[in-house]
Amino acid sequence: MKRYERFADDIAELIRSGVLGPGQRIPSVRYASQTHGVSPSTVFQAYYLLERRGLIRARARSGYFVNSHVPRTFVEPQALAPVSESTEVDVSGLVFSILDSIKDPSTVPFGSAFPSPSLFPLQRLARSLASATRSMDPQVVVSDLSPGNPQLRRQIALRYMVGGLMLPMEELLITNGALEALNLCLQAVTEPGDLVAIEAPAFYACLQVLERLKLKAVEIPVQPRQGMDLEVLAQTLDKHPIKAVWCMTNFQNPVGASMPEASKQALVELLRKHQVPLIEDDVYAELYYAQQAPKPAKAFDTEGLVMHCGSFAKSLAPGYRVGWVAAGRYAQKIERLKLMTSLCASMPAQAAIADYLQHGGYDRHLRKLRYALEGQQANMLAAIARYFPAQTRVSQPSGGYFLWLELPEQVDALKLFQLALAQGISIAPGPIFSPTQRFGHCIRLNYGSPWTETTEKAMETLGKIIRSFL
Amino acid sequence: MKRYERFADDIAELIRSGVLGPGQRIPSVRYASQTHGVSPSTVFQAYYLLERRGLIRARARSGYFVNSHVPRTFVEPQALAPVSESTEVDVSGLVFSILDSIKDPSTVPFGSAFPSPSLFPLQRLARSLASATRSMDPQVVVSDLSPGNPQLRRQIALRYMVGGLMLPMEELLITNGALEALNLCLQAVTEPGDLVAIEAPAFYACLQVLERLKLKAVEIPVQPRQGMDLEVLAQTLDKHPIKAVWCMTNFQNPVGASMPEASKQALVELLRKHQVPLIEDDVYAELYYAQQAPKPAKAFDTEGLVMHCGSFAKSLAPGYRVGWVAAGRYAQKIERLKLMTSLCASMPAQAAIADYLQHGGYDRHLRKLRYALEGQQANMLAAIARYFPAQTRVSQPSGGYFLWLELPEQVDALKLFQLALAQGISIAPGPIFSPTQRFGHCIRLNYGSPWTETTEKAMETLGKIIRSFL
């Protein structure tokens, strides 16, 4: 990381923590340069970066100011009351009809689950793919079956090590994206009819996996800042024979919530007491805006009860379908399930990513990606402030690329979805994130695409449609 | 196909059908050239090719002769008597311990499930991969989710069309290899505890899929020349509530049996009467030695009851993990299951194969591959004749790369496996091909690697170990 980037991160941290409030003037270049012992050009570069990140704004002749919408000009969405009952899951029909309808590439993709592929180094990856495949020993076809390409597994283990988590390479299994990993994890520890504790709201793919495996869900509320409500979870574990807990500990989809470290530790401890495995879906881990990468719950796991799933789909290589799982005491069982399900992940894709991680400049790419996403979040928050009703509640995640909005109660999210789609705008309506189809006036918006006039205009249109419900 | 190749195929057909018997002299170059109206050099090239294919042999000064081991110097293995009971499937432990033990690349791979990767155009494929990925529109990441890359699906549909089968591209779903396709098919039409009719012996991966999905198996005997015994199947369908039939109609693994066209038609008709779906595992379809590609049972399906699964793993691109399914009336259900299981197949691999099918010379490669496999079969049959006990019964498939051997009854295939492995030779012992672990004195041998002194020597060693049981 370069000096100006480090300095920009320091300032960003001050803004995020509220030391520098919205609208406040930030130190002049000369003052900052003197007090921090850096050159004026470093400060300039840092401020320019912060501007691109959407955190500050230059005003002619008067210096730089913290953007007025950052942070906390919005009230956060409320967590719903817990249900404390188990539900059979049957949402696929609704989810698929919605996903089908937003496939049109000309639609403004606020409803998409992916960031824009334009943010990824696809050309550089293609080079890695070409060179890795050219030099691929034909014998890998036989020797590289599951658990997967050893170079790739070593690189992944190295990244965890740098982040302070010692994951033995032997524990790592490469999968066809995180979705397959999550399927295998659930299958390894449940039988049809079993109960699984999930988040409310939960990523709809989680609901679909439960549905496919004929499992029942118990919904645990997600707090916008704390993540899964551990008190409710503790009560649920006392009351129900829960076979597994599925949880996104960082930048939860759709709310954007991240669990503080202490909560992650408490979660692991709680599950250790009950000897219930945790399926940790950590696919957004690399998309943090703060200075430090968030730790996974896996870091606090001493008994191999945490099955930790990751992926390159959201941070590097969408479409390559390369994910992984470090499954603790379930590792061998899951490797065998994988061999029975799809043998192994595509070998050229594995080799390409292994090569890229070694030579491609992943950390540089990630820094750029995080800045872009953070800036786009600021843009979308500003647009919400401009166009949406004042009562709108919004989450302000410190990573990822989703906002979770609680709209006024009169708004019917499913109707809103139809009306917006008729205007060429997709959104993800709240009910697809719950097996009980709650969150009827909530929506998830994706800010994973570069901000353009079209997106600005689409937000304005969306605001108008929302107001028409009032 | 070139003229001499066509002429060679004509002669090969005469040998296969027995018109030209073992040891018989084949027409002289001059005679053949005159009677068939082709140039002497075409005949020379054809005979040279037939020699490489292991079908004929030159004797100094006396011309060419049909190889003495081809065909039918061996008695064929017998089909076992039907069991007519359903069995819970629990073979994975045994299968995995055997697969684990043969991973060592220095082992002679008679027990492998794959042909040698040296037979595949991996360099040419790597070029397709590089060029397809370089020109890949980033938007495919979103638009190319399941059912999969449209160019690839079009190419696959085209190949079927050329073979006389009209498969609408819309019916085709790309999967992570055929194994995933087969998993999805079974899952689409069964619930845990259901009965599925399978072959006896059956490919062990089929048994593992049943085990994973907690299904029960009813074993239907496979006749070395006829494939699945339709009489037994008919009785079984009358007696049991069978939910699906799983069948390899061409070059069945492990026996190598292929169903004649009339049997395929009868099979489809039988299942139509019972309204039971057929899962047709047709991954060896391209590896035929005859002049004509065999038709799949799918060709006789008028009601969408056949779920037809294919793959490039055995004929072009092992390790790429690209397979497909044309699932008839179950197509939409399976596409949705796929989206819930692993979203889609790896996009670079799909794009690479699409490019290769268009520009890479697949048919030329396949012709070479078929000749190589046919020649290797001849070599292995000759080695069996030289080194194995006279009572050995052997299948002589007209495609694929497996021989199924019924050894004298004193031979314990599991013990033989251990003894051979201690000498650096792997085999696939009979009991892993049956949920009731029958076939205790049978083995499957893989002739998918180029014949060398090492393989010849390994066959001699294997013969000695087998004789030690007698």
Side-chain angles (χ1 to χ4, degrees), chain B residues 86-92 198 204 206-212 214-218 434-436:
Chain B
S86 67
T87 332
E88 297 212 4
V89 187
D90 180 19
V91 296
S92 270
I198 62 166
Y204 51 79
C206 160
L207 304 177
Q208 292 182 304
V209 174
L210 263 66
E211 183 175 336
R212 193 180 79 83
K214 303 182 174 71
L215 300 168
K216 288 181 187 154
V218 182
S434 160
T436 47

Side-chain angles (χ1 to χ4, degrees), chain A residues 166-225:
Chain A
M166 301 303 288
L167 270 189
M169 183 183 148
E170 293 69 36
E171 198 184 327
L172 281 166
L173 168 75
I174 305 298
T175 57
N176 295 309
L179 185 57
E180 189 187 52
L182 294 160
N183 266 280
L184 296 173
C185 290
L186 259 188
Q187 216 204 333
V189 295
T190 62
E191 299 285 329
D194 279 350
L195 264 54
V196 176
I198 63 165
E199 295 156 320
F203 177 36
Y204 51 78
C206 159
L207 304 177
Q208 292 181 303
V209 175
L210 264 66
E211 183 176 334
R212 193 180 77 84
L213 298 174
K214 304 184 175 73
L215 301 168
K216 287 181 187 156
V218 182
E219 294 181 85
I220 313 291
V222 169
Q223 309 284 354
R225 286 199 172 261

Side-chain angles (χ1 to χ4, degrees), chain A residues 251-296:
Chain A
F251 321 122
Q252 194 260 358
N253 178 356
V255 173
S258 291
M259 295 181 96
E261 269 195 21
S263 304
K264 287 171 184 158
Q265 200 160 2
L267 170 65
V268 173
E269 174 55 25
L270 178 65
L271 295 182
R272 194 195 57 73
K273 218 180 72 195
H274 290 268
Q275 287 293 300
V276 169
L278 173 65
I279 299 172
E280 182 177 36
D281 180 356
D282 203 17
V283 295
Y284 303 106
E286 295 281 16
L287 306 183
Y288 57 88
Y289 309 155
Q291 284 186 294
Q292 283 275 322
K295 274 193 181 161

Side-chain angles (χ1 to χ4, degrees), chain A residues 183 187 212 319-320 346-347, chain B residues 187 212 319-320 340 346-347:
Chain A
N183 266 280
Q187 216 204 333
R212 193 180 77 84
Y320 278 56
S346 189
M347 286 171 187
Chain B
Q187 216 204 335
R212 193 180 79 83
Y320 277 55
M340 292 193 235
S346 191
M347 286 171 187

